[in-house]
């Protein structure tokens, strides 16, 4: 046990008649009362579950009883001492109980001497030597002090006092007090370790909560950013579509518009990836399964990249079984999966490279009639592109992960697409694996999906923007958004009225009964939800289809099914608008 350096106190205390420690070995001592000690240990063990004050008081009460002393106490280092090093009497029993809290200096006390000599000490008439005890009543004829060990330094001292000249302490008392001092050390060390562990646990919990709050703030920021980006994208997208119709006879203008249209498409993809990543973290990105044909899904996915592949003179080859493959899956989400994987292949394969999509699956016609167990479809996408470095390969599915050289490419994206892809594949109880022999050696992606089933469905009809003429009310507080979409719809033969607020829309329906009302959900003042409720109360709008336009991609917290007939993400595609009008 480390000693406390107070040599002057130890030297001064060794004057004649002050330290009488040697008498402990020469005095007759009583026999050990192990029964009483055993009972005392049981009492102390029960006290360990109590507060520090109760536990320490139980210790000094036990010392008083076992040693037959007049007073007993524990002196611990005073952490609040303003000058030097001092002890505080934290627990006292017997005739000196009134002095609990008494502070004594380490360099002028019997406790300081015991700790300096690192052994139990017996002091005769200590009040005559130590000024800190001068005011203690009654007289102290003997004091037996035992150090309470500790790491990295002693905790303090345990002591007993005799106020009767006929009562002397002996070697047995020293043994008992030493045992109790060791027990005190263990108890205090346990309490300190527990306090430290609780403090670390509290810090860890605070850090966890701060991290969770930061993640929540990040998700909210991404959702808000997506909404804010979709706002200006909507009029740009609609204006480009209208301009392409108006410039049908001008190849040069159409060429310029095609460039702008591709870049807007890139922005829409980035915003969608951001929102999908946010919805994955909050568990709001789900799949809605239905029967369909895998060939239609593959066809739609290839269609999204064919133009870009032709521009780069890629040899894009699709190999599918000769029989139709019926699947039970979310066709839109799987189209997103394969569009992303094919898009990466096109993006990172040099001009003139090769890209192959191969589908392998059992013929649904061979599945027994009453067997509902889905069979596995294996879709492999192989390219001769830039490949993936070995150190990056284990992290390709992590959010915002990209190779350094990819970040320098204009079409590099945000590095969230593959994270979304893996989530959607897993949501179909499938597996995805990516392999590459290294940079410049191409990439192979294998997707396994247990979705092939026996049911037979027909091929989906070709996508068409054709919409029956209708009376349409556009409500959005952004003038550009309503103007661009109104021009586009008017060019398709629809009668369109525009409003920039809820009250203006309510005024318009007094003389204009819309077949469809496209309403922005988030507007200042009267928002889209309130406007929808008020329109439903108008008799002339009883058959009006109310469609919400939202930049939050229809999160569950945003939707209120009793107010709108359906939700569309801004900017709404012509296909989505056509579907709404055809209903």
């Amino acid at each position: 046990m480390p000693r406390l350096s107070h040599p002057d106190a130890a030297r001064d205390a060794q004057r004649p008649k002050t330290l009488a420690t040697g008498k402990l070995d020469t005095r007759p001592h009583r026999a050990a009362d192990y029964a009483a000690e055993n009972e005392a240990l049981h009492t102390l063990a029960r006290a360990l579950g109590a507060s520090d004050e109760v536990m320490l008081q139980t210790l000094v009460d036990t010392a008083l009883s076992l040693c037959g002393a007049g007073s007993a106490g524990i002196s611990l280092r005073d952490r609040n001492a303003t000058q030097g090093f001092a002890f505080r009497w934290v627990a006292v029993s017997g005739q000196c109980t009134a002095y609990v809290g008494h502070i004594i200096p380490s360099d002028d006390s019997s406790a300081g001497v015991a700790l300096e000599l690192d052994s139990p000490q017996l002091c005769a008439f200590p009040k005559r030597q130590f000024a800190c005890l001068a005011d203690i009543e009654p007289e102290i004829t003997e004091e037996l002090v035992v150090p309470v060990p500790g790491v990295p330094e002693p905790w303090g001292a345990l002591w007993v006092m005799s106020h009767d000249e006929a009562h002397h302490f002996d070697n047995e008392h020293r043994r008992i007090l030493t045992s109790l001092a060791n027990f005190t050390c263990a108890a205090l060390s346990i309490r300190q370790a527990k306090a430290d562990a609780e403090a670390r646990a509290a810090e860890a919990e605070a850090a966890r909560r701060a991290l969770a709050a930061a993640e929540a703030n990040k998700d909210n920021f991404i959702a808000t950013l997506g909404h804010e980006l979709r706002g200006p994208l909507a009029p740009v997208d609609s204006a480009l579509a209208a301009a392409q119709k108006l410039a049908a006879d001008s190849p040069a203008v159409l060429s310029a518009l095609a460039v702008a249209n591709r870049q807007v498409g890139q922005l829409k993809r980035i915003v969608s990836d951001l929102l999908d990543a946010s919805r994955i973290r909050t568990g709001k990105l789900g799949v809605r399964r239905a029967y369909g044909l895998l060939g239609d899904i593959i066809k739609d996915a290839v269609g999204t990249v064919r133009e870009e592949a032709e521009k780069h003179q890629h040899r894009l080859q699709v190999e599918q079984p000769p029989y139709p493959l019926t699947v039970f899956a979310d066709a839109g989400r799987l189209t997103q999966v394969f569009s992303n994987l094919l898009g990466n292949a096109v993006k990172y394969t040099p001009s003139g490279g090769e890209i192959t999509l191969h589908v392998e699956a059992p013929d649904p016609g061979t599945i027994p009639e009453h067997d509902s167990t889905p069979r596995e479809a294996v879709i492999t996408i192989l390219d001769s592109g830039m490949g993936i470095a070995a150190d990056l390969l284990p992290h390709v599915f992590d959010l915002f992960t990209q190779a350094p050289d990819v970040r320098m490419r204009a079409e590099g994206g945000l590095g969230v697409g593959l994270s979304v892809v893996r989530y959607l594949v897993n949501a179909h109880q499938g597996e995805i694996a990516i392999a590459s022999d290294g940079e410049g050696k191409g990439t192979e992606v294998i997707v396994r999906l247990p979705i092939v089933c026996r049911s037979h469905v027909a091929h989906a009809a070709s996508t068409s923007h054709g919409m029956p003429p209708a009376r349409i009310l556009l409500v959005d507080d952004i003038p550009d958004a309503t103007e661009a979409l109104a021009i586009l719809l008017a060019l398709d033969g629809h009668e369109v009225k525009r409003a920039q607020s809820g009250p203006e829309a309510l005024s318009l329906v007094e003389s204009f009964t819309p077949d469809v009302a496209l309403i922005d959900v988030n507007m200042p003042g009267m928002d889209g939800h309130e406007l929808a409720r008020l329109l439903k109360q108008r008799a002339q709008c009883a058959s009006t289809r109310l469609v919400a336009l939202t930049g939050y991609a229809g999160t569950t917290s945003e939707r209120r099914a009793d107010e709108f007939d359906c939700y569309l993400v801004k900017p709404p595609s012509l296909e989505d608008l056509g579907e709404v009008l055809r209903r």
Side-chain angles (χ1 to χ4, degrees):
M1 179 181 71
R3 299 187 180 188
L4 298 180
S5 180
H6 301 292
D8 293 339
R11 186 175 59 252
D12 293 343
Q14 294 183 45
R15 290 184 301 179
K17 298 183 180 181
T18 300
L19 282 185
T21 309
K23 294 182 179 180
L24 294 173
D25 296 320
T26 60
R27 287 174 177 172
H29 57 84
R30 60 185 178 84
D33 186 352
Y34 294 116
E37 289 185 49
N38 185 59
E39 183 178 352
L41 286 175
H42 279 83
T43 301
L44 290 173
R46 288 192 296 269
L48 284 175
S51 65
D52 286 352
E53 291 77 9
V54 171
M55 185 268 293
L56 293 175
Q57 187 61 49
T58 303
L59 270 165
V60 297
D61 291 343
T62 301
L64 184 80
S65 174
L66 292 180
C67 294
S71 298
I74 294 178
S75 304
L76 295 185
R77 293 188 61 186
D78 183 21
R79 299 179 181 273
N80 299 318
T82 55
Q83 292 183 347
F85 171 51
F87 294 108
R88 180 185 293 273
W89 289 6
V90 295
V92 181
S93 183
Q95 297 183 49
C96 291
T97 302
Y99 295 98
V100 66
H102 184 57
I103 295 178
I104 59 176
S106 62
D107 56 356
D108 184 28
S109 66
S110 52
V113 172
L115 265 63
E116 169 59 26
L117 297 177
D118 192 20
S119 62
Q121 299 298 318
L122 180 66
C123 299
F125 296 96
K127 290 176 59 174
R128 302 174 185 177
Q129 173 61 32
F130 304 110
C132 62
L133 300 178
D135 296 333
I136 302 298
E137 294 294 341
E139 178 63 77
I140 306 171
T141 58
E142 281 189 355
E143 181 183 17
L144 178 58
V145 186
V146 177
V148 177
V151 176
E153 54 192 1
W155 288 95
L158 177 64
W159 47 264
V160 289
M161 293 177 178
S162 173
H163 306 292
D164 182 356
E165 291 191 30
H167 181 76
H168 300 289
F169 297 115
D170 57 29
N171 198 40
E172 176 64 13
H173 296 130
R174 177 170 57 184
R175 183 190 67 80
I176 291 174
L177 212 59
T178 299
S179 177
L180 291 176
N182 290 333
F183 184 94
T184 305
C185 169
L188 292 175
S189 297
I190 291 172
R191 294 300 176 94
Q192 184 62 51
K194 181 181 177 182
D196 291 343
E198 289 175 348
R200 288 193 294 270
E203 292 174 358
E205 176 63 16
R208 187 195 65 79
R209 290 180 179 177
L211 180 60
E215 290 290 341
N217 290 336
K218 183 189 72 176
D219 291 337
N220 291 335
F221 170 76
I222 290 175
T224 303
L225 178 64
H227 171 70
E228 295 300 325
L229 288 175
R230 284 186 182 276
L233 273 177
V236 171
D237 193 49
S238 299
L240 282 173
Q244 285 175 318
K245 287 180 177 291
L246 293 171
D249 297 331
S250 177
V253 174
L254 286 176
S255 178
L257 290 175
V259 173
N261 199 48
R262 283 196 297 272
Q263 296 306 309
V264 169
Q266 175 77 351
L267 283 174
K268 289 166 66 176
R269 183 184 67 79
I270 290 174
V271 172
S272 295
D273 282 350
L274 272 175
L275 292 173
D276 281 344
S278 177
R279 289 195 292 272
I280 285 175
R281 297 189 67 87
T282 56
K284 295 177 181 178
L285 184 62
V287 295
R288 299 177 182 177
R289 299 190 180 203
Y291 290 105
L293 291 176
L294 184 59
D296 290 337
I297 295 172
I298 298 298
K299 177 183 176 181
D300 289 343
V302 171
T304 63
V305 301
R306 188 174 295 280
E307 182 180 352
E308 196 68 17
E310 291 175 352
K311 187 177 77 171
H312 289 87
Q313 298 179 336
H314 291 145
R315 292 185 294 278
L316 177 57
Q317 185 176 358
V318 179
E319 301 170 353
Q320 299 196 68
Y323 40 82
L325 290 172
T326 302
V327 296
F328 186 63
D330 188 324
R333 288 304 186 183
L334 286 188
T335 299
Q336 180 181 355
V337 166
F338 297 124
S339 295
N340 184 286
L341 297 176
L342 286 170
N344 285 342
V346 170
K347 194 184 304 180
Y348 304 124
T349 298
S351 296
E354 295 184 358
I355 301 170
T356 302
L357 186 151
H358 177 75
V359 179
E360 182 180 348
D363 185 349
T366 63
I367 299 176
E369 184 175 353
H370 299 293
D371 187 351
S372 60
T373 304
R375 265 54 174 186
E376 187 177 71
V378 181
I379 299 93
T380 303
I381 298 175
L382 182 64
D383 66 62
S384 60
M386 62 185 292
I388 303 173
D391 60 338
L392 182 64
L393 200 57
H395 307 288
V396 291
F397 293 112
D398 296 343
L399 274 174
F400 307 111
T401 296
Q402 286 183 316
D405 55 338
V406 169
R407 298 191 189 101
M408 304 302 294
R409 299 167 64 100
E411 71 277 22
L414 297 175
V416 301
L418 285 178
S419 178
V420 174
V421 164
R422 180 176 63 175
Y423 179 91
L424 293 176
V425 170
N426 291 341
H428 284 85
Q429 284 75 54
E431 298 177 355
I432 181 171
I434 296 181
S436 175
D437 291 333
E439 295 182 72
K441 297 183 179 181
T443 302
E444 181 183 49
V445 182
I446 299 177
V447 179
R448 298 179 179 274
L449 295 167
I451 56 176
V452 178
C453 51
R454 180 176 175 78
S455 301
H456 296 287
V457 295
H459 281 284
S462 300
T463 302
S464 172
H465 295 167
M467 295 174 267
R471 296 161 64 86
I472 301 174
L473 173 63
L474 300 179
V475 188
D476 196 318
D477 60 303
I478 302 176
D480 287 345
T482 56
E483 181 179 2
L485 188 55
I487 293 173
L488 181 60
L489 293 172
L491 289 171
D492 271 359
H494 303 289
E495 183 181 355
V496 183
K497 297 289 185 181
R498 295 184 291 144
Q500 295 180 23
S501 66
E504 185 180 353
L506 293 173
S507 178
L508 276 175
V509 297
E510 295 297 330
S511 57
F512 176 76
T513 302
D515 299 311
V516 176
L518 303 176
I519 303 171
D520 180 36
V521 169
N522 295 286
M523 293 186 294
M526 182 187 297
D527 67 7
H529 296 290
E530 184 179 357
L531 174 58
R533 286 195 297 271
L534 294 175
L535 287 176
K536 285 195 171 200
Q537 297 173 9
R538 304 294 176 97
Q540 67 271 33
C541 297
S543 60
T544 299
R545 188 166 183 77
L546 302 178
V547 180
L549 298 179
T550 173
Y552 289 108
T555 59
T556 53
S557 61
E558 180 70 25
R559 298 193 173 196
R560 304 177 193 176
D562 59 335
E563 294 167 356
F564 288 103
D565 296 300
C566 64
Y567 281 71
L568 293 181
V569 177
K570 296 169 67 175
S573 67
L574 292 176
E575 292 91 338
D576 290 339
L577 289 175
E579 178 63 25
V580 168
L581 293 176
R582 280 190 293 273
R583 293 178 190 175

